[in-house]
Amino acid sequence: MDVADRVEKALNGVVKLYASVPEFTDRNAPNKYAVYTIAETGADFSEGENRVNQYYVSVNIFTPQYDFGLYEKIKAAMYSEGFCYAEGGNIQDDKIFPYTRHYYLDFMAVIER
């Protein structure tokens, strides 16, 4: 199971999840949704081969208002798949497109090959 599969397994039951930024019309935008991105870094090389990879996952959550209960559910779901929480915070308010609260949660995982 790759990292994207683990993220989707963790979050599919928690929040509507997308792997890229969706294009919504006003009529079909969900009330709450998240978009995730993954960055991969080789963390440990041994005998000329990459033995351990480090992954950073950013989960960007869009809601009408802050939803700290949802943020805690996302953290718990990611913990259950072996990710650790790195940081999070508010990016924008509802005054600019997409006119919702944009909050992010960053996670990290180290996977041995």
Side-chain angles (χ1 to χ4, degrees):
M1 180 181 306
D2 69 6
V3 175
D5 291 337
R6 290 173 59 190
V7 171
E8 290 181 10
K9 179 182 174 190
L11 298 181
N12 268 334
V14 178
V15 66
K16 181 75 175 158
L17 186 65
Y18 299 93
S20 61
V21 178
E23 293 186 24
F24 297 123
T25 64
D26 290 340
R27 290 178 293 247
N28 71 354
N31 193 31
K32 299 178 183 182
Y33 65 97
V35 178
Y36 71 91
T37 57
I38 299 171
E40 177 182 2
T41 306
D44 183 34
F45 287 84
S46 175
E47 299 173 358
E49 293 184 24
N50 186 359
R51 301 284 184 193
V52 175
N53 278 26
Q54 190 168 340
Y55 296 90
Y56 297 94
V57 177
S58 184
V59 180
N60 294 275
I61 305 120
F62 299 88
T63 57
Q65 272 95 31
Y66 294 119
D67 190 339
F68 294 102
L70 176 61
Y71 309 150
E72 291 303 317
K73 288 178 185 175
I74 290 172
K75 287 181 191 177
M78 292 294 282
Y79 293 151
S80 73
E81 284 299 317
F83 292 91
C84 64
Y85 175 69
E87 66 179 342
N90 181 42
I91 294 180
Q92 73 185 29
D93 62 18
D94 58 355
K95 306 282 187 289
I96 57 176
F97 185 82
Y99 309 112
T100 62
R101 295 287 177 181
H102 180 182
Y103 200 86
Y104 75 96
L105 300 171
D106 287 343
F107 299 90
M108 187 178 75
V110 175
I111 299 174
E112 293 186 35
R113 292 179 171 254

PDB file of all heavy atoms in Angstrom, residues 2 4 13-14 18 20 26 30 35 46 49-50 58 62 66-67 75 78-79 84 88-89 97 102-104 112:
ATOM      1  N   ASP A   2       0.695   2.125  -0.968  1.00  0.00           N
ATOM      2  CA  ASP A   2       1.521   3.328  -1.004  1.00  0.00           C
ATOM      3  C   ASP A   2       0.948   4.410  -0.091  1.00  0.00           C
ATOM      4  O   ASP A   2      -0.110   4.234   0.526  1.00  0.00           O
ATOM      5  CB  ASP A   2       1.717   3.817  -2.438  1.00  0.00           C
ATOM      6  CG  ASP A   2       0.455   4.382  -3.079  1.00  0.00           C
ATOM      7  OD1 ASP A   2      -0.577   4.516  -2.394  1.00  0.00           O
ATOM      8  OD2 ASP A   2       0.510   4.703  -4.273  1.00  0.00           O
ATOM      9  N   ALA A   4      -0.379   7.391  -0.699  1.00  0.00           N
ATOM     10  CA  ALA A   4      -1.680   7.943  -1.096  1.00  0.00           C
ATOM     11  C   ALA A   4      -2.812   7.013  -0.676  1.00  0.00           C
ATOM     12  O   ALA A   4      -3.853   7.473  -0.188  1.00  0.00           O
ATOM     13  CB  ALA A   4      -1.720   8.192  -2.598  1.00  0.00           C
ATOM     14  N   GLY A  13     -13.614   8.072   5.290  1.00  0.00           N
ATOM     15  CA  GLY A  13     -14.804   8.053   6.129  1.00  0.00           C
ATOM     16  C   GLY A  13     -14.966   9.279   6.999  1.00  0.00           C
ATOM     17  O   GLY A  13     -15.982   9.448   7.684  1.00  0.00           O
ATOM     18  N   VAL A  14     -13.987  10.175   6.966  1.00  0.00           N
ATOM     19  CA  VAL A  14     -13.988  11.342   7.857  1.00  0.00           C
ATOM     20  C   VAL A  14     -14.457  12.607   7.141  1.00  0.00           C
ATOM     21  O   VAL A  14     -15.235  13.384   7.673  1.00  0.00           O
ATOM     22  CB  VAL A  14     -12.572  11.561   8.454  1.00  0.00           C
ATOM     23  CG1 VAL A  14     -12.527  12.789   9.338  1.00  0.00           C
ATOM     24  CG2 VAL A  14     -12.117  10.327   9.214  1.00  0.00           C
ATOM     25  N   TYR A  18     -10.110  14.820  -1.773  1.00  0.00           N
ATOM     26  CA  TYR A  18      -9.640  14.943  -3.147  1.00  0.00           C
ATOM     27  C   TYR A  18      -8.122  14.936  -3.171  1.00  0.00           C
ATOM     28  O   TYR A  18      -7.473  15.476  -2.278  1.00  0.00           O
ATOM     29  CB  TYR A  18     -10.141  16.245  -3.779  1.00  0.00           C
ATOM     30  CG  TYR A  18     -11.639  16.341  -3.838  1.00  0.00           C
ATOM     31  CD1 TYR A  18     -12.351  16.965  -2.818  1.00  0.00           C
ATOM     32  CD2 TYR A  18     -12.340  15.804  -4.913  1.00  0.00           C
ATOM     33  CE1 TYR A  18     -13.735  17.044  -2.867  1.00  0.00           C
ATOM     34  CE2 TYR A  18     -13.724  15.880  -4.964  1.00  0.00           C
ATOM     35  CZ  TYR A  18     -14.408  16.502  -3.943  1.00  0.00           C
ATOM     36  OH  TYR A  18     -15.773  16.577  -3.997  1.00  0.00           O
ATOM     37  N   SER A  20      -6.485  16.296  -5.767  1.00  0.00           N
ATOM     38  CA  SER A  20      -6.135  17.538  -6.445  1.00  0.00           C
ATOM     39  C   SER A  20      -7.271  18.526  -6.232  1.00  0.00           C
ATOM     40  O   SER A  20      -8.371  18.143  -5.839  1.00  0.00           O
ATOM     41  CB  SER A  20      -5.893  17.301  -7.936  1.00  0.00           C
ATOM     42  OG  SER A  20      -7.054  16.810  -8.545  1.00  0.00           O
ATOM     43  N   ASP A  26     -21.093  26.758  -7.758  1.00  0.00           N
ATOM     44  CA  ASP A  26     -21.741  27.073  -6.479  1.00  0.00           C
ATOM     45  C   ASP A  26     -22.739  26.002  -6.062  1.00  0.00           C
ATOM     46  O   ASP A  26     -22.974  25.783  -4.893  1.00  0.00           O
ATOM     47  CB  ASP A  26     -22.442  28.430  -6.546  1.00  0.00           C
ATOM     48  CG  ASP A  26     -21.458  29.577  -6.605  1.00  0.00           C
ATOM     49  OD1 ASP A  26     -20.293  29.362  -6.211  1.00  0.00           O
ATOM     50  OD2 ASP A  26     -21.846  30.659  -7.045  1.00  0.00           O
ATOM     51  N   PRO A  30     -19.247  20.665  -1.993  1.00  0.00           N
ATOM     52  CA  PRO A  30     -19.640  20.093  -0.700  1.00  0.00           C
ATOM     53  C   PRO A  30     -19.443  21.114   0.418  1.00  0.00           C
ATOM     54  O   PRO A  30     -18.637  22.045   0.294  1.00  0.00           O
ATOM     55  CB  PRO A  30     -18.702  18.899  -0.535  1.00  0.00           C
ATOM     56  CG  PRO A  30     -17.592  19.117  -1.475  1.00  0.00           C
ATOM     57  CD  PRO A  30     -18.068  20.031  -2.553  1.00  0.00           C
ATOM     58  N   VAL A  35      -8.319  18.535   0.575  1.00  0.00           N
ATOM     59  CA  VAL A  35      -7.423  18.242  -0.541  1.00  0.00           C
ATOM     60  C   VAL A  35      -6.068  17.914   0.067  1.00  0.00           C
ATOM     61  O   VAL A  35      -5.579  18.652   0.923  1.00  0.00           O
ATOM     62  CB  VAL A  35      -7.304  19.449  -1.489  1.00  0.00           C
ATOM     63  CG1 VAL A  35      -6.323  19.156  -2.617  1.00  0.00           C
ATOM     64  CG2 VAL A  35      -8.661  19.857  -2.025  1.00  0.00           C
ATOM     65  N   SER A  46      21.908   3.592   2.211  1.00  0.00           N
ATOM     66  CA  SER A  46      22.835   2.596   2.721  1.00  0.00           C
ATOM     67  C   SER A  46      23.299   1.740   1.553  1.00  0.00           C
ATOM     68  O   SER A  46      22.467   1.288   0.750  1.00  0.00           O
ATOM     69  CB  SER A  46      22.143   1.730   3.778  1.00  0.00           C
ATOM     70  OG  SER A  46      22.989   0.694   4.192  1.00  0.00           O
ATOM     71  N   GLU A  49      21.914   2.576  -1.843  1.00  0.00           N
ATOM     72  CA  GLU A  49      20.489   2.440  -2.130  1.00  0.00           C
ATOM     73  C   GLU A  49      19.653   3.199  -1.108  1.00  0.00           C
ATOM     74  O   GLU A  49      20.038   3.315   0.048  1.00  0.00           O
ATOM     75  CB  GLU A  49      20.085   0.961  -2.100  1.00  0.00           C
ATOM     76  CG  GLU A  49      20.685   0.145  -3.200  1.00  0.00           C
ATOM     77  CD  GLU A  49      20.190  -1.281  -3.188  1.00  0.00           C
ATOM     78  OE1 GLU A  49      19.091  -1.530  -2.647  1.00  0.00           O
ATOM     79  OE2 GLU A  49      20.897  -2.147  -3.723  1.00  0.00           O
ATOM     80  N   ASN A  50      18.512   3.655  -1.560  1.00  0.00           N
ATOM     81  CA  ASN A  50      17.586   4.337  -0.672  1.00  0.00           C
ATOM     82  C   ASN A  50      16.868   3.288   0.180  1.00  0.00           C
ATOM     83  O   ASN A  50      16.146   2.455  -0.341  1.00  0.00           O
ATOM     84  CB  ASN A  50      16.579   5.131  -1.503  1.00  0.00           C
ATOM     85  CG  ASN A  50      15.669   5.975  -0.665  1.00  0.00           C
ATOM     86  OD1 ASN A  50      15.748   5.979   0.557  1.00  0.00           O
ATOM     87  ND2 ASN A  50      14.789   6.705  -1.310  1.00  0.00           N
ATOM     88  N   SER A  58       0.281  17.053   3.419  1.00  0.00           N
ATOM     89  CA  SER A  58      -0.448  18.250   3.821  1.00  0.00           C
ATOM     90  C   SER A  58      -1.920  18.034   3.497  1.00  0.00           C
ATOM     91  O   SER A  58      -2.264  17.740   2.351  1.00  0.00           O
ATOM     92  CB  SER A  58       0.082  19.475   3.097  1.00  0.00           C
ATOM     93  OG  SER A  58      -0.560  20.638   3.564  1.00  0.00           O
ATOM     94  N   PHE A  62     -11.357  22.594   3.932  1.00  0.00           N
ATOM     95  CA  PHE A  62     -12.202  23.741   3.601  1.00  0.00           C
ATOM     96  C   PHE A  62     -13.566  23.535   4.243  1.00  0.00           C
ATOM     97  O   PHE A  62     -14.262  22.570   3.957  1.00  0.00           O
ATOM     98  CB  PHE A  62     -12.327  23.874   2.081  1.00  0.00           C
ATOM     99  CG  PHE A  62     -11.006  24.090   1.394  1.00  0.00           C
ATOM    100  CD1 PHE A  62     -10.235  23.009   0.989  1.00  0.00           C
ATOM    101  CD2 PHE A  62     -10.527  25.370   1.187  1.00  0.00           C
ATOM    102  CE1 PHE A  62      -9.010  23.202   0.370  1.00  0.00           C
ATOM    103  CE2 PHE A  62      -9.301  25.582   0.573  1.00  0.00           C
ATOM    104  CZ  PHE A  62      -8.547  24.490   0.168  1.00  0.00           C
ATOM    105  N   TYR A  66     -14.514  27.425  11.277  1.00  0.00           N
ATOM    106  CA  TYR A  66     -13.527  26.516  11.873  1.00  0.00           C
ATOM    107  C   TYR A  66     -14.256  25.315  12.457  1.00  0.00           C
ATOM    108  O   TYR A  66     -15.307  25.455  13.066  1.00  0.00           O
ATOM    109  CB  TYR A  66     -12.739  27.217  12.979  1.00  0.00           C
ATOM    110  CG  TYR A  66     -11.860  28.328  12.469  1.00  0.00           C
ATOM    111  CD1 TYR A  66     -12.050  29.628  12.887  1.00  0.00           C
ATOM    112  CD2 TYR A  66     -10.843  28.058  11.570  1.00  0.00           C
ATOM    113  CE1 TYR A  66     -11.235  30.653  12.417  1.00  0.00           C
ATOM    114  CE2 TYR A  66     -10.034  29.075  11.088  1.00  0.00           C
ATOM    115  CZ  TYR A  66     -10.230  30.362  11.520  1.00  0.00           C
ATOM    116  OH  TYR A  66      -9.432  31.365  11.055  1.00  0.00           O
ATOM    117  N   ASP A  67     -13.679  24.142  12.281  1.00  0.00           N
ATOM    118  CA  ASP A  67     -14.290  22.912  12.772  1.00  0.00           C
ATOM    119  C   ASP A  67     -13.218  22.092  13.490  1.00  0.00           C
ATOM    120  O   ASP A  67     -12.660  21.144  12.928  1.00  0.00           O
ATOM    121  CB  ASP A  67     -14.898  22.128  11.605  1.00  0.00           C
ATOM    122  CG  ASP A  67     -15.757  20.971  12.062  1.00  0.00           C
ATOM    123  OD1 ASP A  67     -15.590  20.515  13.212  1.00  0.00           O
ATOM    124  OD2 ASP A  67     -16.587  20.509  11.256  1.00  0.00           O
ATOM    125  N   LYS A  75      -6.767  14.151  12.540  1.00  0.00           N
ATOM    126  CA  LYS A  75      -5.515  13.766  13.217  1.00  0.00           C
ATOM    127  C   LYS A  75      -5.577  12.326  13.705  1.00  0.00           C
ATOM    128  O   LYS A  75      -4.642  11.549  13.489  1.00  0.00           O
ATOM    129  CB  LYS A  75      -5.237  14.692  14.402  1.00  0.00           C
ATOM    130  CG  LYS A  75      -4.795  16.080  14.027  1.00  0.00           C
ATOM    131  CD  LYS A  75      -4.540  16.877  15.298  1.00  0.00           C
ATOM    132  CE  LYS A  75      -4.361  18.322  15.029  1.00  0.00           C
ATOM    133  NZ  LYS A  75      -4.182  19.110  16.273  1.00  0.00           N
ATOM    134  N   MET A  78      -5.312   9.878  10.799  1.00  0.00           N
ATOM    135  CA  MET A  78      -3.952   9.810  10.255  1.00  0.00           C
ATOM    136  C   MET A  78      -3.017   9.076  11.222  1.00  0.00           C
ATOM    137  O   MET A  78      -2.160   8.305  10.790  1.00  0.00           O
ATOM    138  CB  MET A  78      -3.438  11.213   9.940  1.00  0.00           C
ATOM    139  CG  MET A  78      -4.172  11.879   8.795  1.00  0.00           C
ATOM    140  SD  MET A  78      -3.923  11.087   7.194  1.00  0.00           S
ATOM    141  CE  MET A  78      -2.294  11.711   6.784  1.00  0.00           C
ATOM    142  N   TYR A  79      -3.184   9.307  12.528  1.00  0.00           N
ATOM    143  CA  TYR A  79      -2.387   8.559  13.515  1.00  0.00           C
ATOM    144  C   TYR A  79      -2.611   7.059  13.341  1.00  0.00           C
ATOM    145  O   TYR A  79      -1.677   6.267  13.446  1.00  0.00           O
ATOM    146  CB  TYR A  79      -2.760   8.930  14.949  1.00  0.00           C
ATOM    147  CG  TYR A  79      -2.428  10.333  15.387  1.00  0.00           C
ATOM    148  CD1 TYR A  79      -3.197  10.961  16.358  1.00  0.00           C
ATOM    149  CD2 TYR A  79      -1.360  11.045  14.866  1.00  0.00           C
ATOM    150  CE1 TYR A  79      -2.917  12.249  16.790  1.00  0.00           C
ATOM    151  CE2 TYR A  79      -1.071  12.336  15.279  1.00  0.00           C
ATOM    152  CZ  TYR A  79      -1.852  12.925  16.245  1.00  0.00           C
ATOM    153  OH  TYR A  79      -1.576  14.197  16.665  1.00  0.00           O
ATOM    154  N   CYS A  84       2.515  10.927  11.833  1.00  0.00           N
ATOM    155  CA  CYS A  84       2.598  11.782  13.022  1.00  0.00           C
ATOM    156  C   CYS A  84       2.286  13.215  12.594  1.00  0.00           C
ATOM    157  O   CYS A  84       2.545  13.618  11.465  1.00  0.00           O
ATOM    158  CB  CYS A  84       3.961  11.676  13.696  1.00  0.00           C
ATOM    159  SG  CYS A  84       5.321  12.241  12.704  1.00  0.00           S
ATOM    160  N   GLY A  88      -0.015  22.728  11.935  1.00  0.00           N
ATOM    161  CA  GLY A  88      -1.252  23.100  11.265  1.00  0.00           C
ATOM    162  C   GLY A  88      -1.611  24.532  11.570  1.00  0.00           C
ATOM    163  O   GLY A  88      -0.980  25.179  12.403  1.00  0.00           O
ATOM    164  N   GLY A  89      -2.620  25.038  10.894  1.00  0.00           N
ATOM    165  CA  GLY A  89      -3.054  26.400  11.156  1.00  0.00           C
ATOM    166  C   GLY A  89      -3.992  26.924  10.098  1.00  0.00           C
ATOM    167  O   GLY A  89      -4.377  26.235   9.161  1.00  0.00           O
ATOM    168  N   PHE A  97     -11.911  33.593  -2.661  1.00  0.00           N
ATOM    169  CA  PHE A  97     -12.257  32.286  -3.207  1.00  0.00           C
ATOM    170  C   PHE A  97     -11.402  31.217  -2.547  1.00  0.00           C
ATOM    171  O   PHE A  97     -10.227  31.402  -2.372  1.00  0.00           O
ATOM    172  CB  PHE A  97     -12.035  32.290  -4.722  1.00  0.00           C
ATOM    173  CG  PHE A  97     -12.494  31.014  -5.361  1.00  0.00           C
ATOM    174  CD1 PHE A  97     -13.824  30.830  -5.654  1.00  0.00           C
ATOM    175  CD2 PHE A  97     -11.593  30.005  -5.633  1.00  0.00           C
ATOM    176  CE1 PHE A  97     -14.254  29.652  -6.226  1.00  0.00           C
ATOM    177  CE2 PHE A  97     -12.009  28.822  -6.199  1.00  0.00           C
ATOM    178  CZ  PHE A  97     -13.339  28.646  -6.494  1.00  0.00           C
ATOM    179  N   HIS A 102     -10.054  28.007   5.295  1.00  0.00           N
ATOM    180  CA  HIS A 102      -9.015  27.102   4.784  1.00  0.00           C
ATOM    181  C   HIS A 102      -8.025  26.871   5.918  1.00  0.00           C
ATOM    182  O   HIS A 102      -7.355  27.774   6.362  1.00  0.00           O
ATOM    183  CB  HIS A 102      -8.327  27.741   3.586  1.00  0.00           C
ATOM    184  CG  HIS A 102      -7.253  26.899   2.972  1.00  0.00           C
ATOM    185  ND1 HIS A 102      -6.509  27.343   1.925  1.00  0.00           N
ATOM    186  CD2 HIS A 102      -6.799  25.650   3.255  1.00  0.00           C
ATOM    187  CE1 HIS A 102      -5.639  26.413   1.569  1.00  0.00           C
ATOM    188  NE2 HIS A 102      -5.798  25.379   2.383  1.00  0.00           N
ATOM    189  N   TYR A 103      -7.982  25.636   6.392  1.00  0.00           N
ATOM    190  CA  TYR A 103      -7.125  25.246   7.511  1.00  0.00           C
ATOM    191  C   TYR A 103      -6.253  24.095   7.017  1.00  0.00           C
ATOM    192  O   TYR A 103      -6.697  23.287   6.195  1.00  0.00           O
ATOM    193  CB  TYR A 103      -8.001  24.766   8.671  1.00  0.00           C
ATOM    194  CG  TYR A 103      -7.341  24.781  10.027  1.00  0.00           C
ATOM    195  CD1 TYR A 103      -7.336  25.939  10.800  1.00  0.00           C
ATOM    196  CD2 TYR A 103      -6.747  23.640  10.538  1.00  0.00           C
ATOM    197  CE1 TYR A 103      -6.757  25.955  12.048  1.00  0.00           C
ATOM    198  CE2 TYR A 103      -6.162  23.650  11.793  1.00  0.00           C
ATOM    199  CZ  TYR A 103      -6.170  24.810  12.550  1.00  0.00           C
ATOM    200  OH  TYR A 103      -5.585  24.820  13.786  1.00  0.00           O
ATOM    201  N   TYR A 104      -5.008  24.040   7.465  1.00  0.00           N
ATOM    202  CA  TYR A 104      -4.160  22.937   7.025  1.00  0.00           C
ATOM    203  C   TYR A 104      -3.631  22.145   8.212  1.00  0.00           C
ATOM    204  O   TYR A 104      -3.461  22.669   9.307  1.00  0.00           O
ATOM    205  CB  TYR A 104      -2.987  23.441   6.175  1.00  0.00           C
ATOM    206  CG  TYR A 104      -1.891  24.106   6.980  1.00  0.00           C
ATOM    207  CD1 TYR A 104      -0.771  23.377   7.377  1.00  0.00           C
ATOM    208  CD2 TYR A 104      -1.965  25.439   7.339  1.00  0.00           C
ATOM    209  CE1 TYR A 104       0.228  23.975   8.129  1.00  0.00           C
ATOM    210  CE2 TYR A 104      -0.976  26.045   8.086  1.00  0.00           C
ATOM    211  CZ  TYR A 104       0.127  25.310   8.470  1.00  0.00           C
ATOM    212  OH  TYR A 104       1.110  25.897   9.214  1.00  0.00           O
ATOM    213  N   GLU A 112      10.199   2.294   5.741  1.00  0.00           N
ATOM    214  CA  GLU A 112      11.366   1.507   5.335  1.00  0.00           C
ATOM    215  C   GLU A 112      11.028   0.734   4.096  1.00  0.00           C
ATOM    216  O   GLU A 112       9.924   0.238   3.925  1.00  0.00           O
ATOM    217  CB  GLU A 112      11.766   0.543   6.466  1.00  0.00           C
ATOM    218  CG  GLU A 112      12.273   1.247   7.694  1.00  0.00           C
ATOM    219  CD  GLU A 112      12.778   0.278   8.725  1.00  0.00           C
ATOM    220  OE1 GLU A 112      13.348  -0.757   8.341  1.00  0.00           O
ATOM    221  OE2 GLU A 112      12.608   0.575   9.910  1.00  0.00           O
TER     222      GLU A 112
END
